[in-house]
Amino acid sequence: MPDRIVISSFFFLQAFLFTMAFSLSSTDSLDPSTVKYLEMGHLMTIYKSKPVIMTVKVIMQTRWIVLIKKAKQFERVVDIREIKEVRRGKNSKDFNCLKERLSVPDGNCFTVLYGSEFVLKTLSLSVDNKETAEKWITALEKLKEETLREPTPQIVKRWLKKQMDSIDNTQRTSITLKEFKAILTEANFKVPSMTFLKDLEASTCINLEKLHSAYNKLMYESQKQFLDYLFSKENSIWDTKVTEYREEDMCSSLCNYWINSSHNTYLTGNQISSESSAEAYIRCLRMGCRCIELDCFDGPSKPIITHGKTFTSKITFDEVVEAINTHAFQVSEFPVILSIEEHCSTGQQGYMAKMFKEVFRDKLLTEQVEVFEDQLPSPMQLKRKIIIKHKTNSLKYTRRKEGHLQIWDPLDEKWYRHFCLTVDDKFHYAQEVEENRVEELESAETHLSEIWFHGKMENRQAAERRLQQYCAENGGMDGTFLVRESNTYAQDYIIVFWKSEKCNHCRIRSDEVGGTKNYFLTDSNRFGNLHSLIQHYKKSPLKFNQMEQYLTDAVPNLNLHECQRWFYSNLCREEAEEKLLKVPRDGAFLIREREEPGSFAITFRAEGKVKHCKIQREGNIYIIGTSAEFESLVELVNYYRKTPLYQKMRLRYPVTEELLQRCSTVPAFGQLYDTVYVDPNKMEASGISVKAMYDYQKSQSDELSFKRGAIIHNVTKESQDWWKGDYEGKVQHFFPSSYVKEITKEELRKLEVLKNNPLEGMCKGTVDLSKCSVSVLPGMKNGKEFVFILQQDDAPSLEIAAFSLDELYKWESIVNKWAVSSHSEISNKRLSERDKKKKDKMVHTDMLALVIYCNPKGGNKQMFDQNYDFKEVRSFDEDLAPIYENAFLEYNSKALSRIYPRGGRMDSSNYNPLPYWKCGCQLVALNFQTPDKSMHANKALFDLNGKCGFLLQPKCLKSNLCNPFKDKTVEQTIEIRVLGARHLPKPRRNIVSPFVEVQVYGVHESNTLKTVVVCDNGLNPVWLDSPQTVKFNIYWPDLAFLYFCVCVEDMFSDPHFLAQATLPVKGIRSGYRSVPLKNGYSEDLELASLLVYVSVNESGAGN
């Protein structure tokens, strides 16, 4: 009992000090005149597609930068806590919209870069003079630092004010009960009823103080300060002293460090179709990356950087070099390595060398640090130097054919772009590229799917009754409206809106000029469709009968779905399945009304199977799953057209009679895309396979250990909780059934095929060329020329279009080598002549002179004799690195090695970096744009040593006696229990149902802690009823990370990532601790945290 009193007193003392810190730091340190200046705002020019003048000001209560064009509504909001950089001058692409770019002085311009993902957003501005620009830049930088240092109570209050102002993007002094409910829903809390809200806060007009009080009642009920402290960043599990920079560690040879390294640095997404950007280099450098990659190809006159033969965009070599020069040493003074993948001609290589010297000047390393050297210099000796890594031997053409083609889709009757490649006799094509198409607003038809459109109503009084009823139930905000067809004027419409507790009617006129229909209230503002008109009057006031009113809240038409072609009012489950079976394509869907009143079902295809999901109507709301709310079925469908409904499947093909007729005319259509329907109820019980949904570590000798994604075969269901199966040589061992998902034979076959597919998970189809005939079509085919057809005897033809005659020649010649027969009249003479001209390209002498320390090894990189040069660097595909050879470990103690992702990772996924760090590889290159577990560990590792990008490897790695893959001595134990969470993010419409996984990501296997699922609560879930404590053994503390992953179960019980925290174990603090959570890109999530109990014991202690 005395111990408990001491502990309790300690925590309450900490909470008291925490509260005092809040009260002392709540006063802004910016001087009052500057604060007033920022709040008053300034007229600035904003640059994007075209220059626009707006008022830009800072709202101190929310720490927002807001842009105001008219009245009080915010056109755009920038959260100051998300600012990554305030960049001086016209150094962003936004300024390219200037016709005369130099007409605005450079000193008058600046750009705010902000966001929480890899690709940052930009706000590019100019003011009337340099002094004003400098004043804003300095104030914003200072305000950003202050905001990030704020204590948790101040963050909570600011967060509440943000929720108020986000309702309609204005500065609000109060909110209604309905708006309070909306705030709680956005905060991941399911409100049981309006009575529940009234118990929290009786007032119908809630100001910030009342909102704060209601929030405290909801979150804490008692002991607020104590609980505030427990969940706050001030009580973090992480010891910040461990992160501090250690200058004494920077004087060893370069080969003794792990170096923060990026792969294909220019890309912002996947390897096939994403944007290339100089901003990606800036982002990586400012994230602490010290080795970046440049894939250089010949441009029209100067080199370009791109991922060759893919849809990825191109950027100029010049802009990348300028970006590197400006940002290389902004966050770290230690050297940057440029890893050049060279595809340029000798002449353009000379230009590259010239640019390096002219732009980098004295930053460029052009000679050895010391005349007589027998090892690589240290990071300290190479401070503020840029090192060139470039081949010194001849460069050869690759014979592998890859590139982009268009393939005809007979279901959509459209051409789609695909990344394609040939490997031996196989032709592989990836998923179609989603091109940025401008959505067609079909003039007179768009309003038919808008929730505010109520069609033909009985009379004027019927519209008023509907508006009055909605306002009575929902608070009656001025500007609440609906649109109906006019009963008096054919082709015209009426806006019925609420103003001062009265219904008002405003006529929308229409006419046709030059074949184009126009809609308008006044002649000065004409619109091509009703959607555009309504959007306009949401931002600009509607002036009518000497009154002004913005349109605000739309009265939803709950029966809008009845005129949609995907809706069936009289269709049973079996009939729906029959229709879906005729459209063998994932994404096909329909919605049907069920016999139960107010109940609907969406029937869709995913993973080759027909699935159903219930939709329930409650009052004026449609709910899918447990908490995703929509005002209409049309809104639901439009949402899931853009957001995956199941796994990665979006709604794509509405099942209409027209579509069914089209499918019936395409012979053997399903074979083309290989999506044959499988009925799970008719599967054989024997030979069951399952896929692991989570990592699992065995606790007994007769159990299996496996990682997420593992496939377990020959499963027998011994009981409801425990099954048996075969995995990695272990036959009929036990595993928990809750950790796996049963898969069909068809799914298993696909997974096995994808294992050896060069496109892996992005593959859409594979054609065996040895079983095909090929023919090149003369003239046009479906609007395209340069078309060739692949035809198998028992399958539909594949119609493929190249983008030029030259590309058609190339592809046809490759396919012809394997095809059974060819009906092409194209002569290969031109191709053979081109082949004769292909000669090895030599490296330009000026480029050779810049390669000082990073000389890539050619020839057999797997041979490790004692004669290798310390200046060389060997690069390995992740699958080919000899990490288990002692000779490789010894090599890494003297020279550099670089690891990069295998070619099949077209989705830019990352490999596990730990095995390569273990064997001393210095440059373990990852895709920084991908938010996955590997990048979480990379960020955690390189946050150490002051985030300088270099981390000294432990001395044991340089010992001849070291074997990191076999040594299994427990050096630490960590015990973890998850107690609760606060303010989890809400990425979609659903209120999240979270659970937490905890594991040690390290050298050897470890346990996994997985909590139960808490349904419909992401605001303040608790796991006190699940008192599971898991003990982790730590074998290598230098390369072990405590990984917290918060996941959410969707309506199909599938897990999805929500938030994470990845922490090196050597900085973990014991006790009841807060774990601040981050998103997938390792950016802080405002107020999101876990509360855990953690106990760290050195080996032999506490046992």
Side-chain angles (χ1 to χ4, degrees), residues 455-477:
K456 194 90 170 175
M457 302 187 75
E458 185 180 349
N459 51 39
R460 178 187 182 104
Q461 290 72 30
E464 290 184 352
R465 284 195 298 271
R466 190 170 295 182
L467 179 61
Q468 288 167 347
Q469 182 182 351
Y470 182 83
C471 289
E473 293 174 356
N474 297 277
M477 182 191 302

Coordinates of all heavy atoms in Angstrom, one line a residue, residues 455-477:
G455 N -36.5 16.8 -58.0 CA -37.4 16.5 -59.2 C -38.7 17.2 -59.2 O -38.8 18.3 -58.6
K456 N -39.7 16.5 -59.8 CA -41.0 17.1 -59.9 C -41.8 16.9 -58.6 O -42.0 15.8 -58.2 CB -41.8 16.5 -61.0 CG -43.0 17.3 -61.5 CD -42.6 18.3 -62.6 CE -43.9 18.9 -63.2 NZ -43.5 19.9 -64.2
M457 N -42.2 18.0 -57.9 CA -42.9 17.9 -56.7 C -44.4 18.3 -57.0 O -44.7 19.0 -57.9 CB -42.3 18.7 -55.6 CG -40.8 18.3 -55.3 SD -40.1 19.2 -53.9 CE -40.9 18.3 -52.5
E458 N -45.3 17.8 -56.1 CA -46.7 18.0 -56.3 C -47.1 19.5 -56.5 O -47.8 19.9 -57.5 CB -47.5 17.5 -55.2 CG -49.0 17.5 -55.4 CD -49.8 16.9 -54.2 OE1 -49.1 16.3 -53.3 OE2 -51.0 17.1 -54.1
N459 N -46.5 20.3 -55.7 CA -46.8 21.8 -55.8 C -45.8 22.5 -54.9 O -45.0 21.9 -54.2 CB -48.2 22.1 -55.4 CG -48.6 21.5 -54.1 OD1 -47.9 21.5 -53.1 ND2 -49.9 21.0 -54.0
R460 N -46.0 23.8 -54.9 CA -45.1 24.7 -54.1 C -45.2 24.4 -52.6 O -44.2 24.4 -51.9 CB -45.6 26.2 -54.3 CG -44.8 27.3 -53.6 CD -45.5 28.6 -53.8 NE -44.9 29.7 -53.1 CZ -44.1 30.6 -53.8 NH1 -43.9 30.5 -55.1 NH2 -43.6 31.6 -53.1
Q461 N -46.4 24.1 -52.1 CA -46.6 23.8 -50.7 C -45.9 22.5 -50.3 O -45.4 22.4 -49.1 CB -48.1 23.7 -50.4 CG -48.8 25.0 -50.4 CD -49.0 25.5 -51.9 OE1 -49.1 24.7 -52.8 NE2 -49.0 26.9 -52.0
A462 N -45.8 21.5 -51.1 CA -45.1 20.2 -50.8 C -43.6 20.5 -50.6 O -43.0 19.9 -49.7 CB -45.3 19.2 -52.0
A463 N -43.1 21.3 -51.4 CA -41.6 21.7 -51.2 C -41.4 22.4 -49.9 O -40.4 22.2 -49.2 CB -41.2 22.5 -52.4
E464 N -42.3 23.3 -49.6 CA -42.2 24.1 -48.3 C -42.3 23.1 -47.1 O -41.6 23.3 -46.1 CB -43.2 25.2 -48.2 CG -43.0 26.3 -49.2 CD -44.0 27.4 -49.1 OE1 -45.0 27.2 -48.3 OE2 -43.8 28.5 -49.7
R465 N -43.3 22.2 -47.2 CA -43.4 21.2 -46.1 C -42.2 20.4 -45.9 O -41.7 20.2 -44.7 CB -44.6 20.3 -46.3 CG -46.0 21.0 -46.1 CD -47.1 19.9 -46.0 NE -47.2 19.2 -47.3 CZ -48.0 19.5 -48.3 NH1 -48.7 20.6 -48.3 NH2 -48.0 18.7 -49.4
R466 N -41.5 20.0 -47.0 CA -40.3 19.2 -46.8 C -39.2 20.0 -46.2 O -38.4 19.5 -45.4 CB -39.9 18.6 -48.2 CG -38.8 17.6 -48.1 CD -38.6 16.9 -49.5 NE -39.8 16.1 -49.8 CZ -39.9 15.3 -50.9 NH1 -38.8 15.2 -51.7 NH2 -41.0 14.6 -51.2
L467 N -39.1 21.3 -46.7 CA -38.0 22.1 -46.1 C -38.3 22.4 -44.7 O -37.4 22.4 -43.8 CB -37.9 23.4 -47.0 CG -36.9 24.5 -46.5 CD1 -35.5 23.9 -46.6 CD2 -37.0 25.7 -47.4
Q468 N -39.5 22.7 -44.3 CA -39.9 23.1 -42.9 C -39.6 21.9 -42.0 O -39.1 22.0 -40.9 CB -41.3 23.5 -42.8 CG -41.6 24.9 -43.4 CD -43.1 25.2 -43.6 OE1 -43.9 24.3 -43.5 NE2 -43.4 26.5 -43.9
Q469 N -40.0 20.7 -42.5 CA -39.8 19.5 -41.6 C -38.3 19.2 -41.4 O -37.9 18.9 -40.3 CB -40.4 18.3 -42.3 CG -40.3 17.0 -41.5 CD -40.9 15.8 -42.3 OE1 -41.5 16.0 -43.3 NE2 -40.7 14.6 -41.7
Y470 N -37.5 19.4 -42.4 CA -36.1 19.2 -42.3 C -35.4 20.2 -41.3 O -34.6 19.9 -40.5 CB -35.4 19.3 -43.6 CG -33.9 19.0 -43.6 CD1 -33.4 17.7 -43.6 CD2 -33.0 20.0 -43.5 CE1 -32.0 17.4 -43.5 CE2 -31.6 19.8 -43.5 CZ -31.1 18.5 -43.4 OH -29.8 18.3 -43.4
C471 N -35.8 21.5 -41.4 CA -35.3 22.5 -40.6 C -35.7 22.3 -39.1 O -35.0 22.6 -38.2 CB -35.7 23.9 -41.1 SG -34.9 24.4 -42.6
A472 N -37.0 21.8 -38.9 CA -37.4 21.6 -37.6 C -36.6 20.5 -36.9 O -36.4 20.5 -35.7 CB -38.9 21.2 -37.6
E473 N -36.2 19.5 -37.7 CA -35.5 18.3 -37.1 C -34.0 18.6 -37.0 O -33.3 18.0 -36.1 CB -35.7 17.1 -38.0 CG -37.1 16.6 -38.1 CD -37.3 15.5 -39.1 OE1 -36.3 15.2 -39.8 OE2 -38.3 14.9 -39.2
N474 N -33.5 19.6 -37.7 CA -32.0 19.8 -37.8 C -31.5 21.2 -37.4 O -30.4 21.5 -37.7 CB -31.5 19.4 -39.2 CG -31.7 17.9 -39.5 OD1 -31.0 17.1 -39.1 ND2 -32.8 17.6 -40.2
G475 N -32.4 22.0 -36.8 CA -31.9 23.3 -36.3 C -32.2 24.5 -37.2 O -32.0 25.6 -36.8
G476 N -32.6 24.3 -38.5 CA -33.0 25.4 -39.3 C -32.0 26.4 -39.6 O -32.1 27.6 -39.3
M477 N -30.8 26.0 -40.2 CA -29.7 27.0 -40.5 C -30.2 27.8 -41.7 O -30.7 27.3 -42.7 CB -28.4 26.3 -40.8 CG -27.3 27.2 -41.2 SD -25.9 26.3 -41.9 CE -25.5 25.1 -40.5

